[in-house]
Structures are given as C-alpha cells and as structure tokens.
Amino acid sequence: MDRLSDAAVEQFIAVRRDIHRHPELAFSERRTAALVAAQLGAWGYEVTTGLGGTGVVGQLKRGSSARTLGLRADMDALPIAEATGAAWASCEHGVMHACGHDGHTAMLLAAAHHLAQHGRFDGTLNLIFQPAEEGGGGALRMMEDGLFQRFPCEAIFAMHNMPGIPQGQLVFRSGPAMASSDYATVTLHGHGGHGAMPHKATDVVVAAASLVMALQTVVSRHVDPLQPAVVTVGAIHAGEANNVIPAEARLEISVRTLAPQVRRSVEQRIRELVQLQAQSFGVRAEIAWRAGYAVLVNDSAQTARALAVAQKHFPAEQVNPQGPMVSGSEDFAFMLERVPGSYLFIGNGADGEPGACMVHNPAYDFNDLNIAPGAAYWVALVQDLLSPTP
Ligand SMILES: [Zn+2]
Ligand SMILES: [Zn+2]
C-alpha cells in the first residue's frame, strides 16, 4: 500500500491544526474553502469553487478511462466553545471543530496531494469538499447547484471519525447505517373561554394532552417491533392562567427512523393521528412538517468494494466489516440517494484512550494519528477502484 511520507504526514497534521484554529460555521467556510482550493490548484487539480455556497470540487484526470469516482469531506464547525486546552485550540470564540470535519478535510487533502504526485489510476477523480453538514444540508445545496451533472460520479464515498472505536480502525456497514431526522410543529386551534364554563369552549389543552398520549402508539403499536424508530414530543406550549381555556396549543415533535419505508409510514401515521385526534375534540389542527436528513443507506455492492480495499491493505484487526447502526444523522445520505456509494467510520480512539471524547463535546479533538491511515485508505480506494488496466 502507498504510505504517506513522514514529511507529508507532518505537513497535513499542520494543515489540520490550522483549520482547527480557524473554525467556520455552516455556509461561512470561506477561509477553509480558500485554503482547500489554493492547495488543490497548486497540485494540478481543476478547481471549482462556490458550489452550494462555499463548496469546492477538485478534479484530477489520468489516462483515458471514462470511469469516475467521488470522495467527499465536510468542512463546517459547530457553535460550541472549545475546552480542549490544545495549543491549536480555536481562535474564534464560541465556534469549534467539535465533529472533526477539520480532520476529514485534512485527510482528503493529504490523499489529494499524494495522488497528484504519485497516483496510479486511470479515470476521473472528483474530490468534493462540502459546506454545512451540521444541519444545514450543504450536500443538497451542492446537488442543487448541479454537483453530479457537472462532476458525474459512478460511485461516491465519505469517511467520518468516531470516538469510542480504536484509533485508525475502519468500520463499514452495508445497508441502512444512520438515522433520518424529521421535525413537525403541530398547532391546535380551538375556541377559548372561561375555565368555569368549558361547555362554551373547545379545549386545545385536553386535545393536546390526548394527542401526546396517542403519539406514543406510533412506535409501540404501528411500527414493526424489529425496526427502530423514535417519536418525541419535546415541547408543548399552551395557555397562561388556571381559569382561562386557551385558543391555541403548539407541540414540537421530532422523529428518527432507520429505514426509508418506516420513515414514510411514521410520518403518515402522525399526520392521521393529529387530524383524527383534533377532530374528535372539535378543534382544528395544522401540521408543519420539516423533512430533515434522510436515512443513510450504504449501497451493498459499493460497500463490498470499499471493504475489500480495506481488507487488502490493512491488517484484519483494523477492519470491521459490519459495524452497528448509528442514531445520528448525516446529509451524505442525500448524495447516496443519487449515486451508489458508502459511508465509513475511522476510529478516533477507544474508550479510555486519547480521542475517546465524543463528538459535539467541548473537549473533543480529532486524532491526528488518523491523518496517515485515513489518507492512505483514500489513496488505496482510488488506485484500486480506478486501477489502470494492464
Ligand atoms: Zn457533527
Ligand atoms: Zn460530523
């Protein structure tokens, strides 16, 4: 396997720490995108900027093959005040790279550098540096800007670090791997009145209470018990005084599922319950449904190819062929709905070891020991999937 030189590893650890010092929130990744674009351009990539706001694509063609491949890294940081005490800690108050996207960007840049200098492949390589993974849906924005029309990819891959897994371990999973996340606001409209004369009112508080209980049956009575799903009513707002029946109640609901068909059927059941419950209490219901990230489904054939590359180049104990599902969400799911591919994890450090602090925690930091294996895996994937035919 191609390994990065010690000098290259040092170089990209420095790049990672530089990005870490200057974190930028979703769609504001201007400095990071400029750094990525400048480096790719200097190495001979054809660089396109401004895709989906601050997204960057670097394209490198070798040989004459029509084969195409896409690799994606995310670039955005989180609104969290850093508490790592690291020498390379964030210079931006209240903003930090608490999900390791600084590391994902640096790993892909390190691979880009190596492939430009030494890469043995035949085809077109598209390196996708995406804005706004953390809830902003930067993947969709890049796709709306014509990402896959302008840069066709036969397969796409992305890698995320994961604390709690031994450093450098590569974790694959075929099929559904990460949860969908959707949100709904339900507003109940009734007829307000005096608390002593309920017969002159239609009470949204009673309707809301009944609806909350009815919603508990979506997962317990409607969804296949072997399919994971969560329906949470996280907020109820209604009324001010003990002797006034309010005219309006609002409920905030969040939904997570791990299969596209469960996601559709849970939404449908919630919509039915909201309308039928409201009707039964004589109140009117409005539901504002906000679709968040889709279920992330790894293509079985592409996952098998990605796994085979890891098994060929890495020791067996460093490769987990079928990791567990993860209840978090990830907008690479939208890219996978369009192009077959796979999303893998790289261990950031086992529990009790450096790198074990969970992402989105103020004490989290990307493990720089992953720059070398992460980049080496990307290089191996490109050279194996776009291997020059003898
Ligand atoms: Zn995150
Ligand atoms: Zn992340």
Side-chain angles (χ1 to χ4, degrees), residues 99 101 133-134 360:
C99 205
H101 300 183
E133 189 286 320
E134 298 287 0
H360 294 210

Short mmCIF file of all heavy atoms in Angstrom, two decimals, residues 99 101 133-134 360, ligand 1:
data_model
loop_
_atom_site.label_atom_id
_atom_site.label_comp_id
_atom_site.label_asym_id
_atom_site.label_seq_id
_atom_site.Cartn_x
_atom_site.Cartn_y
_atom_site.Cartn_z
N CYS A 99 -16.63 18.19 15.63
CA CYS A 99 -17.08 16.96 14.97
C CYS A 99 -15.96 16.39 14.10
O CYS A 99 -16.16 15.39 13.42
CB CYS A 99 -18.35 17.20 14.17
SG CYS A 99 -19.35 15.72 13.93
N HIS A 101 -14.51 17.71 11.41
CA HIS A 101 -14.54 17.98 9.97
C HIS A 101 -13.23 18.62 9.51
O HIS A 101 -12.87 18.53 8.34
CB HIS A 101 -15.74 18.85 9.62
CG HIS A 101 -17.07 18.23 9.96
ND1 HIS A 101 -18.28 18.79 9.69
CD2 HIS A 101 -17.36 17.04 10.57
CE1 HIS A 101 -19.27 18.01 10.10
NE2 HIS A 101 -18.74 16.94 10.66
N GLU A 133 -22.52 20.52 6.86
CA GLU A 133 -23.07 19.19 7.15
C GLU A 133 -23.93 19.24 8.41
O GLU A 133 -24.90 18.48 8.52
CB GLU A 133 -21.94 18.16 7.33
CG GLU A 133 -22.44 16.72 7.41
CD GLU A 133 -23.09 16.38 8.73
OE1 GLU A 133 -22.59 16.83 9.78
OE2 GLU A 133 -24.14 15.70 8.72
N GLU A 134 -23.56 20.12 9.34
CA GLU A 134 -24.21 20.14 10.67
C GLU A 134 -25.58 20.80 10.61
O GLU A 134 -25.79 21.91 11.10
CB GLU A 134 -23.33 20.87 11.69
CG GLU A 134 -21.98 20.23 11.93
CD GLU A 134 -22.06 18.94 12.75
OE1 GLU A 134 -23.17 18.54 13.13
OE2 GLU A 134 -20.99 18.36 13.01
N HIS A 360 -19.14 16.60 19.28
CA HIS A 360 -20.08 17.64 19.76
C HIS A 360 -19.87 17.94 21.24
O HIS A 360 -20.73 18.55 21.86
CB HIS A 360 -21.55 17.28 19.47
CG HIS A 360 -21.89 17.25 18.01
ND1 HIS A 360 -23.12 17.54 17.50
CD2 HIS A 360 -21.11 16.97 16.92
CE1 HIS A 360 -23.10 17.43 16.17
NE2 HIS A 360 -21.89 17.07 15.80
ZN ZN B 1 -21.43 16.56 13.91
#
